[in-house]
Amino acid sequence: MVVRIKVKNVSFSYGSIKALEKVSFEIENEFVGIIGPNGSGKTTLLNCMAGILKSDGCILINGKDINKLDRKEIASEIGIVPQIPNISFPLTVFDIVLMGRNPHKKMLEFINEEDIKIANDAMKAVGIEHLANRTITELSGGELQKVIIARALAQQPKILLLDEPTAHLDVHHQIETLSLIKGLIGKGITVIAVFHDLNLASYFCDKIILLNKGRIFAIGNVNEVITPDNIYAVYGIKVNIMQHPESKRPIVVFP
Amino acid sequence: MFDHRKRLIKWVAIIFFLFALLIFSVFLSLMIGVMGPIGKGVPDKEKIDMEEIFHILIGKENYPSIHKSIILDIRLPRILLAGIIGAALVTAGCAMQGLFRNPMASPYILGISSGAAFGASLAIAVGLNIFGLNSVQILAFSFALLDIFVVYNIAKYKGAVPTANLLLAGIAVGYFFSALVSFIKYIAGEELRAIVFWLMGGLWNASWEKVYMTFPLAVLGIFILFLFSRELNIMLTGEISAMSVGINAEQTKKVILIFSTLITAISVSVTGIIGFVGLIIPHIMRLLVGPDHRILIPSSCLMGATFLILTDTLARSIIQPSEIPVGIITSLFGVPFFIYLLRRKKMVRWW
């Protein structure tokens, strides 16, 4: 099933500070990376797309405006992995992942065997099934990140939004997690992720959105967007771009 | 693999144990008093014995009416009232701590107690009498609700109610009402003693009427908060995170606030301000059974009932035939136990 996301003239401001201004783009079943400097509106865009922030303009998912859906309807279409939430209560990993089933449950409806199976599958998919009995407060940053990804997968969303999914991970876990996320594209899930690391974005994404001061500065495939001129214009640093020997994707090198 | 069956069995066992403890404490409390069987004051042959209590409870007639009246009209309603109010305060405490993700939260955190105190003091000082009903209770209840209404609307910002705003507004409005209470106390004259007694909280004026008044609302509120266990669990992970799994955070917050407020307000208006129970019992139970509200709420509720029944029994029997306010007992006995658990489990880092 193809998921078509249409973002039209989306604007958002925090009080008098404009965070997003007339952002428009369309995506379809691909891995999209959002890059841009701090404060350029990446997280705000993600939160608007998840309906957590109510934006002006419209965000259509297969023609449905998410600003008109209720939270459960949104959450059964869109899973969002926020920057690591600070959970200070010793709930078990299994319970946290199982929370992902909430959008599919009516009020007071009990969790059934199928939900438990889906939660277990989600944990397996990110390789944390051995952590099921552990409490969330005992986990490392990387493990916690995977738990939250598993929770989003348990929602069985058509779209997965990730806010810096690799921020707390070492190189090994970065590649592992992103490969796993990339694998979801083949299962019909559209993935949109915020990146700080340009090379990771370049290596994994099909499409890049470069944000600057709340506006789209450039959008397109990695070779079109990650260029020395664009990087200089937005980040204000001079870089060299080399080519990855195998994937032919751009690699950003700092002089 | 997570074995949720095993956990379910464990939870049922916990509830069963706590329920047995509650039943035990009810019978223990029924036996304690000046007229015995446990207690000093009257000669042994005039005492009520254990068998007699049991017979009176199941409705056998052939006993002195004074004995029946002591058991059925004095001890039993007081025990039931203590039980339901303990359960209500503790459930409200659980819900508030979960909602605010704050260890300092208690049923009184938003100033409900101060609002109720103002209503009660006003009624006592002015000697108000509305339609012959208990005006102290009615005013206490009304001002408790007024307090929350004001707090909620102060905290509201663009249709949302951030919890930090709620806490601050609650503290501010609470102080305002406390100042008014101080003022009434200052000018009260001979009603001062009655006001001070009310503020300390206690169950000495328990009656069946009060039990009937409190039960329906308290049971409804506790039950609804229990039904919101899953939402409360999810809210523990933060509001944005809760929204991302389909929780309407604002609406959930509102429902939880409304029902915690109602059960707190009805409790406070009936018994005055009994401190400590709603703050510490949820902490104790969280240390013992974990933070999952599906087990935390029912077990805290049972423990709260047991705790208040036992402390109230102590309060009325420790200096027979007089009694001391139960709030003093709850703190004197509860605090050392809580500190012991805190030190032993070393789990303060949760917060």
Side-chain angles (χ1 to χ4, degrees):
Chain A
M1 207 195 106
V2 180
V3 180
R4 192 171 290 121
I5 305 168
K6 216 173 190 176
V7 172
K8 272 199 297 196
N9 284 329
V10 164
S11 302
F12 187 85
S13 33
Y14 296 99
S16 59
I17 300 156
K18 282 183 182 164
L20 285 179
E21 260 192 287
K22 305 223 160 150
V23 171
S24 302
F25 58 88
E26 280 181 44
I27 40 188
E28 212 179 278
N29 199 24
E30 51 200 333
F31 193 159
V32 179
I34 302 176
I35 58 174
N38 290 333
S40 58
K42 304 185 293 296
T43 300
T44 306
L45 178 58
L46 222 52
N47 283 336
C48 286
M49 293 184 72
I52 286 171
L53 298 175
K54 289 273 175 250
S55 55
D56 299 326
C58 66
I59 295 161
L60 302 171
I61 292 163
N62 287 343
K64 276 187 279 184
D65 187 343
I66 66 145
N67 280 335
K68 293 193 177 102
L69 300 178
D70 73 28
R71 284 249 48 95
K72 279 199 175 175
E73 289 169 325
I74 295 173
S76 44
E77 308 261 339
I78 304 173
I80 179 164
V81 178
Q83 287 177 14
I84 290 197
N86 176 20
I87 305 173
S88 51
F89 292 85
L91 293 164
T92 66
V93 167
F94 176 79
D95 284 323
I96 299 273
V97 175
L98 202 56
M99 285 175 185
R101 297 306 299 156
N102 184 65
H104 301 279
K105 296 275 124 184
K106 293 194 194 74
M107 169 112 208
L108 307 185
E109 190 185 343
F110 281 114
I111 295 294
N112 57 30
E113 291 298 324
E114 197 200 335
D115 296 315
I116 289 167
K117 188 182 175 303
I118 292 169
N120 280 324
D121 289 348
M123 286 191 289
K124 251 178 237 155
V126 294
I128 53 162
E129 65 270 39
H130 60 288
L131 299 176
N133 289 305
R134 295 265 291 278
T135 61
I136 194 93
T137 41
E138 304 167 340
L139 303 184
S140 70
E143 288 168 332
L144 187 57
Q145 183 70 274
K146 285 182 181 176
V147 172
I148 303 300
I149 293 174
R151 187 182 75 164
L153 291 180
Q155 286 173 242
Q156 296 186 312
K158 301 190 184 84
I159 300 160
L160 189 62
L161 306 175
L162 303 115
D163 199 352
E164 291 183 50
T166 55
H168 298 267
L169 306 182
D170 62 39
V171 180
H172 172 84
H173 286 100
Q174 282 180 352
I175 303 299
E176 193 184 73
T177 306
L178 287 173
S179 306
L180 177 141
I181 291 167
K182 180 132 185 146
L184 298 172
I185 308 292
K187 292 176 185 160
I189 299 177
T190 300
V191 178
I192 303 165
V194 166
F195 283 93
H196 268 310
D197 188 322
L198 301 177
N199 287 326
L200 283 176
S202 164
Y203 190 77
F204 283 98
C205 295
D206 302 314
K207 192 185 246 179
I208 301 280
I209 295 172
L210 175 57
L211 285 181
N212 189 28
K213 294 175 184 157
R215 292 170 184 273
I216 292 185
F217 188 85
I219 181 167
N221 68 36
V222 286
N223 287 307
E224 291 163 359
V225 177
I226 300 179
T227 63
D229 290 347
N230 282 349
I231 302 294
Y232 183 72
V234 171
Y235 288 91
I237 49 163
K238 288 204 167 78
V239 295
N240 293 322
I241 302 286
M242 294 168 67
Q243 206 175 46
H244 191 284
E246 284 154 31
S247 70
K248 307 290 177 210
R249 286 165 183 260
I251 301 174
V252 179
V253 186
F254 305 102
Chain B
M1 276 290 280
F2 185 83
D3 193 347
H4 75 287
R5 287 189 81 93
K6 201 170 111 192
R7 182 172 68 178
L8 195 65
I9 293 167
K10 190 176 134 198
W11 283 0
V12 170
I14 290 172
I15 294 300
F16 188 79
F17 172 75
L18 289 172
F19 191 73
L21 199 65
L22 175 61
I23 299 295
F24 170 76
S25 69
V26 168
F27 279 103
L28 184 67
S29 183
L30 270 176
M31 288 194 280
I32 294 175
V34 177
M35 292 291 288
I38 305 169
K40 287 197 285 265
V42 293
D44 276 357
K45 62 176 165 41
E46 283 171 38
K47 273 190 180 172
I48 311 171
D49 63 28
M50 259 151 84
E51 198 188 342
E52 191 181 343
I53 289 178
F54 201 69
H55 284 162
I56 289 173
L57 281 181
I58 58 173
K60 287 200 177 170
E61 294 293 331
N62 48 348
Y63 290 101
S65 66
I66 176 102
H67 285 190
K68 265 168 63 183
S69 161
I70 282 170
I71 298 298
L72 293 180
D73 297 334
I74 297 177
R75 288 189 196 164
L76 193 58
R78 182 163 180 164
I79 291 165
L80 292 180
L81 194 64
I84 192 66
I85 283 175
L89 288 177
V90 169
T91 307
C94 275
M96 292 288 194
Q97 287 170 4
L99 190 64
F100 289 110
R101 280 175 281 139
N102 186 325
M104 299 291 285
S106 79
Y108 304 149
I109 188 94
L110 298 179
I112 303 177
S113 53
S114 308
F118 172 68
S121 314
L122 190 67
I124 295 169
V126 181
L128 211 58
N129 199 338
I130 319 166
F131 317 122
L133 289 166
N134 188 337
S135 55
V136 174
Q137 232 157 290
I138 292 169
L139 277 198
F141 188 72
S142 314
F143 275 96
L145 295 191
L146 177 72
D147 169 90
I148 291 295
F149 180 78
V150 172
V151 167
Y152 188 85
N153 282 294
I154 292 175
K156 204 148 114 184
Y157 176 73
K158 282 188 178 174
V161 185
T163 44
N165 283 12
L166 263 180
L167 284 175
L168 286 172
I171 289 167
V173 176
Y175 268 105
F176 183 79
F177 278 122
S178 296
L180 290 179
V181 171
S182 298
F183 180 69
I184 293 178
K185 276 157 84 178
Y186 185 66
I187 59 166
E190 55 193 58
E191 272 80 34
L192 179 62
R193 195 181 151 79
I195 294 175
V196 170
F197 264 103
W198 190 93
L199 290 177
M200 281 201 264
L203 289 140
W204 55 78
N205 47 12
S207 63
W208 279 111
E209 190 198 4
K210 287 191 172 159
V211 174
Y212 296 143
M213 210 174 342
T214 318
F215 241 84
L217 193 55
V219 170
L220 176 81
I222 291 171
F223 186 66
I224 288 180
L225 289 175
F226 173 62
L227 293 182
F228 270 78
S229 300
R230 186 164 77 206
E231 279 77 1
L232 270 169
N233 283 347
I234 297 177
M235 293 287 275
L236 285 184
T237 66
E239 274 181 39
I240 300 264
S241 157
M243 285 166 86
S244 69
V245 291
I247 298 282
N248 185 333
E250 289 307 320
Q251 202 182 314
T252 305
K253 225 186 295 182
K254 210 189 238 171
V255 173
I256 291 169
L257 270 180
I258 287 173
F259 285 97
S260 315
T261 302
L262 280 177
I263 60 179
T264 308
I266 190 77
S267 305
V268 173
S269 67
V270 169
T271 61
I273 302 165
I274 299 176
F276 180 80
V277 181
L279 174 68
I280 302 292
I281 299 288
H283 281 298
I284 290 177
M285 293 318 288
R286 211 176 272 114
L287 288 167
L288 294 175
V289 304
D292 192 320
H293 287 90
R294 288 169 297 179
I295 180 69
L296 181 63
I297 288 183
S299 61
S300 299
C301 174
L302 290 170
M303 184 59 120
T306 307
F307 182 77
L308 201 58
I309 289 173
L310 291 179
T311 45
D312 181 55
T313 308
L314 267 179
R316 69 182 167 82
S317 61
I318 213 165
I319 49 166
Q320 273 174 8
S322 182
E323 62 174 82
I324 39 180
V326 68
I328 296 174
I329 304 283
T330 52
S331 301
L332 282 184
F333 285 82
V335 171
F337 180 59
F338 178 64
I339 291 172
Y340 161 74
L341 275 183
L342 212 54
R343 298 295 304 172
R344 193 175 63 97
K345 288 245 182 176
K346 295 213 163 61
M347 277 206 182
V348 208
R349 65 191 162 87
W350 286 5
W351 294 96

